[in-house]
Amino acid sequence: RRLMQNLTRLWRYKKLFKLFNRFWYDNDKNYKSDLLPLARQLRKNMTPWERKLRYLFLKTYRPAFRRQTAIGSYIAEFCCLRARLVIEPDGGGHFEQAQAEKGKAKFLEAQGFQVLRICNPDIDRNSSGACEAIDAAVRRRRKTFGASLGSTFGGAVSEAD
């Protein structure tokens, strides 16, 4: 009987959580909802450079970075909301679409984000330098936004995001 009570309670909490999320995210959108399936697909099909950057450094770095985040009408490859920092690994597709990328960077900067572009050859040849550049950018943003970011280099967790 106690098990059934706990399961019923758990089911109610889960239902309330779903309702809260639906209300919260549907009423406070700062992105185009039609971008979500594309962002999901991009998360599944990461480029080798995005995969290398994520698993080498960003997955364990704190403050945490999100992958393929919809912001406005754009998708940011890696986004740290606490530091207001967007990391864009640049490859051939990005250079071909330079004008669209300038518009994206302008929009993100207007929203308070700093955009850090890292070329794919830098990720391949000098991955530690790329990781240090990301860490330095987060530390600079930490000085801007105060000590609430909890940044550590090398993946040790100092503050949950």
Side-chain angles (χ1 to χ4, degrees):
R1 179 179 176 154
R2 185 170 265 172
L3 177 66
M4 287 302 293
Q5 288 175 342
N6 287 340
L7 288 175
T8 305
R9 201 173 293 140
L10 181 65
W11 179 79
R12 285 184 188 149
Y13 287 136
K14 188 175 181 182
K15 195 171 184 177
L16 285 173
F17 183 72
K18 283 183 179 178
L19 285 172
F20 172 76
N21 279 344
R22 186 176 303 140
F23 171 77
W24 182 264
Y25 290 113
D26 286 349
N27 291 325
D28 188 34
K29 287 185 181 175
N30 61 350
Y31 59 88
K32 284 185 159 182
S33 60
D34 56 336
L35 287 177
L36 293 181
L38 176 62
R40 221 172 269 127
Q41 179 186 7
L42 289 172
R43 278 193 293 272
K44 289 180 183 177
N45 303 321
M46 290 194 305
T47 66
W49 300 280
E50 289 173 349
R51 194 174 293 116
K52 183 175 184 178
L53 193 59
R54 172 165 167 75
Y55 290 110
L56 182 69
F57 183 68
L58 294 177
K59 189 173 182 178
T60 57
Y61 188 80
R62 294 292 179 255
F65 279 83
R66 293 182 179 186
R67 296 181 294 146
Q68 309 298 345
T69 305
I71 302 172
S73 57
Y74 299 100
I75 296 177
E77 271 80 353
F78 295 104
C79 175
C80 178
L81 295 176
R82 294 184 92 185
R84 307 291 286 179
L85 179 67
V86 172
I87 298 175
E88 296 279 335
D90 277 339
H94 290 283
F95 290 125
E96 293 167 3
Q97 302 169 354
Q99 206 60 13
E101 289 295 319
K102 284 181 184 176
K104 179 179 180 179
K106 239 182 193 179
F107 174 80
L108 291 172
E109 287 169 1
Q111 299 297 313
F113 289 92
Q114 176 188 353
V115 180
L116 178 64
R117 296 195 180 284
I118 301 175
C119 295
N120 290 344
D122 287 343
I123 295 171
D124 275 338
R125 297 181 197 130
N126 187 14
S127 56
S128 63
C131 296
E132 288 172 7
I134 294 168
D135 184 57
V138 169
R139 290 178 190 272
R140 278 194 307 273
R141 299 294 282 180
R142 182 179 182 174
K143 287 179 183 173
T144 304
F145 290 109
S148 65
L149 294 179
S151 169
T152 60
F153 182 71
V157 178
S158 67
E159 181 178 333
D161 190 42

